[in-house]
Amino acid sequence: MLSRVGHVRRCTATLSPFLGVLASRLKHTLPDLPYDYGALEPHICAEIMQLHHSKHHATYVNNLNVAEEKYHEALAKGDVTTQVALQAALRFNGGGHINHTIFWTNLSPNGGGEPQGELMETIKRDFGSFQNLKEKMSAATVAVQGSGWGWLGFDKESRRLRIAACANQDPLQGTTGLIPLLGIDVWEHAYYLQYKNVRPDYVKAIWNIVNWENVNERFQVAKK
């Protein structure tokens, strides 16, 4: 028995450098924005974008990496208590990273207008009209209590578009099973400097910069 334990320890010691290299390669990084901080003005000001991306999103990324490192250490030790304790940090920071990575690409200085083609036809089928979608999604997003997100997602089982709201940084797919197509961040750091406590005005402005090409690309992938 002791010889087996010694063998495992020797194997672990041998693998540790390789595991360390692998872990460093798998660290999450803050994605670059596909536009300048001021590119979404006047709908979202440059100061908000800079703080939102370089401070808030960066914090989620950093904290996710720390939580994952602690989780892997606990996993290696067989420390289930610590693994369970870390779930909240993984969910919050992992969700924050996932959500914001989608959010930045959902927006464009050349956005706005209406979706085209199959996406538009599916919106009409599932909501009656594009205007109905905007109204229903805006209402659900504005109604989020405290902090959270409003989403347009795709339900693979029913093959239909759905509107959902998620609290805090809960990721849409991990929480509801819906595949995220379009997200609206209604944490106050996303709008307060410009819109103060008037969340409906911020949500209304977002539609002027929605990148429907990106939403359609996500829709096409989700259908497969």
Side-chain angles (χ1 to χ4, degrees):
M1 181 67 178
L2 290 176
S3 62
R4 289 183 180 177
V5 172
H7 176 69
V8 170
R9 286 176 177 170
R10 286 193 297 274
C11 288
T12 302
T14 303
L15 287 172
S16 291
F18 298 101
L19 293 174
V21 171
L22 180 61
S24 66
R25 289 178 179 173
L26 294 178
K27 282 190 178 297
H28 304 283
T29 58
L30 181 69
D32 293 331
L33 291 185
Y35 39 76
D36 294 333
Y37 287 134
L40 302 182
E41 292 185 339
H43 309 293
I44 303 179
C45 69
E47 185 179 10
I48 287 177
M49 290 299 297
Q50 182 174 10
L51 289 171
H52 199 172
H53 176 257
S54 68
K55 300 298 183 183
H56 291 280
H57 189 174
T59 298
Y60 296 128
V61 172
N62 293 335
N63 288 343
L64 176 59
N65 284 326
V66 170
E68 285 192 344
E69 184 175 347
K70 291 180 179 179
Y71 183 85
H72 287 302
E73 290 174 356
L75 195 64
K77 296 175 182 177
D79 183 353
V80 177
T81 300
T82 299
Q83 292 173 48
V84 172
L86 287 167
Q87 293 302 310
L90 291 168
R91 182 186 184 97
F92 182 75
N93 294 292
H97 182 38
I98 290 169
N99 294 340
H100 285 87
T101 300
I102 296 169
F103 184 60
W104 306 134
T105 61
N106 275 171
L107 305 179
S108 170
N110 301 313
E114 299 183 350
Q116 303 296 319
E118 186 182 5
L119 176 58
M120 179 58 117
E121 293 306 311
T122 306
I123 288 172
K124 290 179 179 178
R125 182 198 70 188
D126 293 343
F127 299 100
S129 69
F130 176 59
Q131 185 61 32
N132 282 346
L133 165 68
K134 289 175 63 176
E135 291 175 0
K136 290 179 181 295
M137 186 169 173
S138 293
T141 303
V142 170
V144 170
Q145 295 184 344
S147 301
W149 292 73
W151 290 100
L152 175 65
F154 182 72
D155 186 332
K156 286 188 79 74
E157 290 188 8
S158 67
R159 311 296 293 175
R160 300 184 76 87
L161 300 174
R162 306 285 188 195
I163 292 170
C166 292
N168 300 314
Q169 293 296 352
D170 289 355
L172 181 69
Q173 190 166 3
T175 304
T176 68
L178 298 175
I179 299 173
L181 306 180
L182 171 63
I184 301 178
D185 185 353
V186 286
W187 278 68
E188 285 193 342
H189 63 237
Y191 63 88
Y192 196 85
L193 286 176
Q194 184 172 353
Y195 294 93
K196 301 300 185 268
N197 65 333
V198 190
R199 181 185 285 179
D201 286 356
Y202 158 71
V203 172
K204 181 180 179 180
I206 279 284
W207 294 103
N208 294 310
I209 47 176
V210 171
N211 183 353
W212 288 111
E213 290 186 8
N214 178 262
V215 178
N216 182 58
E217 289 172 1
R218 294 179 181 280
F219 174 58
Q220 297 302 325
V221 172
K223 292 191 306 167
K224 294 179 180 178

